[in-house]
Amino acid sequence: MGEKLYKTMKSVGAWNIALGILVIVFGVAVGVFQLINGGRLLKEKKDITF
């Protein structure tokens, strides 16, 4: 019984680590995208009229 529980916990831990890495990579990618678009807006702000 203990071995089955250990295998389940190991599998869940591995999935949590993998998901955490994916979330970090996605967050960094979105942050870079936001910085690029913000820079583009600042560069072209003289052309924006309301």
Side-chain angles (χ1 to χ4, degrees), residues 2-29:
E3 187 176 335
K4 184 177 177 184
L5 179 62
Y6 176 75
K7 285 182 180 181
T8 302
M9 289 173 56
K10 185 171 114 177
S11 174
V12 169
W15 276 107
N16 284 339
I17 290 172
L19 186 60
I21 291 170
L22 286 174
V23 168
I24 289 170
V25 169
F26 182 73
V28 169

Side-chain angles (χ1 to χ4, degrees), residues 32-47:
V32 169
F33 184 71
Q34 291 294 323
L35 286 171
I36 291 170
N37 283 328
R40 188 181 309 156
L41 281 173
L42 287 174
K43 181 180 170 188
E44 302 295 331
K45 74 178 181 180
K46 65 180 185 272
D47 297 331

